Every structure is written in structure tokens, then in C-alpha cells.
Amino acid sequence: MDGLNEIRRKYLEFFRAQGHEVVPSGPLVPNNDPTLLFTNAGMVPFKNVFTGQETRPYSRAASSQKCVRAGGKHNDLDNVGYTARHHTFFEMLGNFSFGDYYKEEAIKFAWDLITKEFALPESRLMVTIYEDDDEAHGLWKKIAGLEDSRIVRLGAKSNFWQMGDTGPCGPNSEIFYDHGEKIPGGPPGSPDEDGDRFIEIWNLVFMQYEQHEDGSRTRLPKPSIDTGMGLERMAAVMQGTYDNYATDLMRSLIVASAEASKSDPDGSHAVSHRVIADHLRSSSFLIADGVMPSNEGRGYVLRRIMRRAMRHAQLVGVSEPLMWRLVPALVRQMGDAYPELRRAEALVTETLKLEETRFRETLTRGLKLLDEEVEKQQGKGVLPGEVAFKLYDTYGFPLDLTQDALRARGMSVDQTGFDAAMAKQRQDARAAWAGSGEKATEAVWFELREKVGATEFLGYETEVAEGKIVALLVDGAPVDAVEAGTEAAIVTNQTPFYGESGGQIGDTGVIFSADGAEFPVIDTVKKLGDMHVHIGKLSRGRLRLGDIVEMKVDKALRDATRANHSATHLLHEALRRVLGAHVTQKGSMVGPERLRFDFSHPKPMTAEEITEVETIVNGVIRQNVEVSTRLMTPDDAIAAGALALFGEKYGDEVRVLAMGRDEDNANGTYSVELCGGTHVRRVGDIAIFKIVSESAVASGIR
Ligand code: SER
């Protein structure tokens, strides 16, 4: 019997042999689509190839794509754990043709793969097609010899696929597997189609159109193919079960959860182990792709998933954080297919541990409050919105966690009351701000921040990304559009541009739009800590609120800045070693050309000291070891030996940068520092370090 890893491999090899380029999975945070929360289908990384905006050196591709569906379109969070096939994270196998082959070959490849390579019995297979797609009907008869009764015509609701509100789309044809009479359920299109008997295993989309925001549809440059096969489902079919959670990979995670909590994987906590197994995958892969738990945007969806799993860990009855202990089991299963998971193992482990430790502190108190409130309702069935809001606000209970906890008692939450309580709190915060006497210009930023939220920073992972314009400002006032020749500030929902902070200057680069606008970014600043503002002058075209733009950081400058920023850390440590532990950072300026580092030291450095510092730093550069980034609480980070800037304010979680090797140091690392900046991948990328001048900048500061 093939395991899931083997099925994935066979799929990709089959298409490689048919001239397809096997492409690694794209990231879960789609840097080519600011309107999508997470990558939710195999075609997402290829979106611009279908529409002709981007070209690749191949016209056929196959991949196994990491997908998350939780929040936004295709949201499965609430059902996960209770059903046989819902997941927040899943893998989608797919083959793609970008204007190369079309319907006939796509159907032929699919039929050959499942009936020959995967050896599924033909008698168990049936298909659906879009209602007026006679061509597909004819092809299924010709290629697979299917009888008419096994080719079901259905309407757009089930047989017209689109990625989201916009993007490539087209009619599709789905292949179904019949698990047999012993499982309840009917064929597609029948009243009981939602049962577990007839399961869609593969979706072949005949891509023909691009859907636009204004509702119009245009033809793609060439008809194309996008197929998607849920790996977990296919594994279930091939392993003789209808339950994805009974397949080898999911089962191994369920068993790991049961063992770590010393409980029965199939006993009264079976649902909890399923939730934990599923959420472990989505949480770990999201963290590995740069998402961190937070109270906004993608980070908040991650936090909701993590906390839902952590609540189930508590239901199982473990008294210590559980999730982080399951990471090795996950890496064993999936680290070969997704090396990024292995690389991020330490970060994933710490992030899970930290979140669960913190959440546990409030979970018990919050649940007690919930119990008391439920008692007060005396069987009314609905929890008041203010109570759910208090749980959210004071105890960090995402709304769906409260709903999940109530579900077991047959109760729900008054959502309108919850929303009203949330709106009231926003208003109060705004009123408090208005009274604080801040300058009017800053009030503009505060209002904007309230309206558009934090900017998602993608720049740790990428230098190119799409963003959606959420605010445009001219002379400090919000506008709806900007014309060529105008100086403006642009805020987008996500950006690869680093906003000036921590001594590192803001990124420069260009913002383009598909209809020809060009906005050279001369600086990027951060407002209110997490809103990135791109500053420049529109040189061509017109930009409007809501436009989707392509954002490109000047890579050469960014790389040079990275090198200087990482060198700053190496320098800081070398100065402490050569001059003494009294050396502390007093400021810094890191740009592409050079770095400047201000530190406390009572007298000029001697020529020997300067040489010694240079020698140490260049020695570490030559080690060329990988730079590691981890996430911790400020206290843990400092306990682990991280250098922190005195008086600097840090958030709940800090990034901890470790560079270079030093066997004599307790932690084996040369330098450990708290830092939100962008850094080199390996210290060797710095290349060389040279001090060109040393002087006093103030009394006792060099
Ligand atoms: N895009 C289609 C889907 O997600 C086929 O890959 O089902």
C-alpha cells in the first residue's frame, strides 16, 4: 500500500515523464495576489502565467502545492475535526498547461494516471461536467468509454471554477470515486450527494476566462488547463478508507498527539486529536512561511487556528503545552517534501510553545467565566455578544473558539451584539486618542490605521510582491486617485518594502500597475509601528484606491543594506569582546553604502583595537554559517543571551537573530540580538568588513 509521500512522488513523476516541469510549492502567503488571504489552490502561484502577465520557460507544469483554507472564501475551520474530509491545511497535486494542451490531453492524462498508475477500478469512477460542455462529454466517452449515466451534467455552482472574486476561471469536470454501498451518500447532483460515498477526487478546470473586479470577464490569451487533486483524499481512496484522517500521514500525527498526551487516539478525545493533527500542519507551515501569530490579518487567522488546537489539547487533559512536542513527528513526515519546514523547525517549535504557554494562563480563567455565563442564561441557547467580546478582549478567545466551546452545549453566540461591542471599543479608543493632544497630521495616520489595519510585511521572504492600494495621500490628505507628476504616499495591504526602523533605512524601488502607472519609491517609512508608507512621485499613468500593483524593491540596494545590517551585529559583539562589556549600542544607521554604529566608550579606540575588531568580524564572515531567526518573548530572548537596546520598546514577541559560531560561548553562537531588520542568509554574504573612521559623536559616545 502506498503511503502519502509515495503517492505524491508518483503523481509528479508521471507528469514529469509527460514533459511537465515539476515546480516546488509556492508560499502560503501569496506574494502574487494581495486579495487572497492564503494560497488556496495549486494554480495560485501560476495565476499571472494563465493571464499572460508573466511568462515562464515552460508551458507545462506539475506541483504539489501547500494550501490553507481558513477564513475568506473556502473557509473550513469550524468543521475541521468533526468530518472525514475537512482540513485547514492540505496538499493539492496539480498539472497545468499554459496555452499548451487542452481538454483532450488533460482528460487522457487524468484517466491514465488514476486507472493505470494508481490502478483504481474503472467501475468505481464517474465524472461531472459543466451543463453545456458537449465537448467534454464526447471526450469522456471516447477516452474512458464512460456510459452516459456516469457523466453527470451540472450547473455553474458546482462545475464552473473560480479562484476567488477575481482571477482565471472556467468550466470544469470533476472525477468522483464511489466508496461503495456500505457508506451512505448519493452520486453528484443527487439530494444526498454530501454523504461520504461519492467523493470528488480530481478537478480538471478548462481555464478560458479572467474574472475582473467590475464583474466583467475577458478571454485568456489561450485556453489552458488547471487541475487539482486533494492528496489526502486520493491517499484515502488508495488506502481503502473514506476518512482522510485514517491515512498513514494523518494517522501518524494523531498517534503522536495521543502518545504525547497519554490518551487513546480513538477514544472519547478522538475529535480533539484530529483537530490537533490538522491544525499542527497549518500552523507549522504558516509559521515556516513567515506568518506570526498576531491580532490582525493573516497573523490573526493563524492565532485562531493555533488557539483552537490548544483548547482541544486542554480538553484532552494535558497540563503542559502540547503542540510544540509534535513538531518532530510532522517534520519526519513532511520535511523531505517541504525542506522549508525542516529549516524553520526551531522557529515553529518556539512559536507554538510560546503561544500555548501564554494562552494557557488565560484559558482556564476564560472558560470559568464562560461556564458562569452559560449558567446565567439558563438554557436560553444564545450567549450575549458582550460576553463573547469580553472573552475575546480580555482572555484572547477568538470568536470561533467561544463558538466551538458552546457547540458542545448546543449554544451559539449573538454575533450582532459581539460586533457592536467591538465597534464601541474602537470608538472609545479613537476618542481617547483625540484627547491626547497629538498633532493633527498624526491623527490622519491614526484614522487610516484604524481603517486599513497593519501592513503585512512580506520582505523577510521576498523582494517582489503584489499589493492592493488601501490609501493614497497627497500633502497629508487622503485622496481617491493620483495623477502623473504628483508627489504622494501610498499604503498597500501588503508590501515587500521595509519601512525605516531600528536604524535601517527604508527601502526604495518601484510600484507599477498593469495599466502603465509607475511610481518610483524614494523612501518607505513606518507609521504607528506597523503601517508601511511608500513615498515618491508618480512618474507615469494614474493610480487609484483599490488598484492591484506590482511592488519591486531595489534588490541590489536591499542586498547591500542587508549585508551592512548583519555586519552591525557582528561589529557590536566584536567591540564588546575587544573593549569590554560596557560597550552598548547608542544608535545606528544602516544603509546600502555603509553602516554607522554609535556606542558607549570613554576614549578613542587605538589602531590595534580597530584592527582586532576587523579581524574578529572578518573571521566570523568567513565561517559562512547560516543566519538563524527565531521568535521569543523579550525575557526569554534576553535570558538566551540576546543583546537588547536599552530603553527600546519591544512587543510581545521579538525576532531573535543569531549569527556565527563560537564554541566557547554557552549557546554555541557568536552573536545573538533582538532585531526586526532584514538580514543576509549566510554571514559570508557580507563578504568583507572594514572600519573607515572612528570618532566621538558626544561625550562618552563613539
Ligand atoms: N483550481 C482548481 C481547484 O482548486 C483545480 O486545481 O479545485
Side-chain angles (χ1 to χ4, degrees), residues 448 451-453 455 468-472 490-493 545-547:
L448 257 184
K451 206 166 100 198
V452 306
T455 314
K468 179 175 177 164
I469 298 183
V470 293
L472 288 167
I490 299 180
V491 184
T492 47
N493 65 338
L545 264 185
D547 280 356

Side-chain angles (χ1 to χ4, degrees), residues 272-295:
S272 292
H273 291 307
R274 291 158 75 102
V275 170
I276 291 167
D278 174 89
H279 292 11
L280 173 71
R281 295 212 304 167
S282 44
S283 305
S284 303
F285 275 96
L286 283 170
I287 297 165
D289 277 351
V291 183
M292 288 297 158
S294 73
N295 284 333

Side-chain angles (χ1 to χ4, degrees), residues 498-506 524-526 529 532 565 648 676-677:
Y498 185 81
E500 178 182 353
S501 50
Q504 181 176 329
I505 63 163
T524 309
V525 297
K526 265 201 238 175
H532 294 233
H565 201 153
E648 185 100 333

Side-chain angles (χ1 to χ4, degrees), residues 302-315:
L302 168 62
R303 172 161 280 165
R304 279 164 49 204
I305 297 174
M306 289 165 84
R307 294 196 163 183
R308 187 167 183 259
M310 290 160 185
R311 150 91 175 122
H312 279 274
Q314 189 253 10
L315 279 177

Side-chain angles (χ1 to χ4, degrees), residues 16 34 72 278 332 369 422 436 551 653 664 695:
R16 195 199 298 277
D278 174 89
R332 239 187 339 269
L369 175 90
M422 176 85 93
S436 71
M551 315 181 72
E653 278 125 10
D664 296 337
S695 62

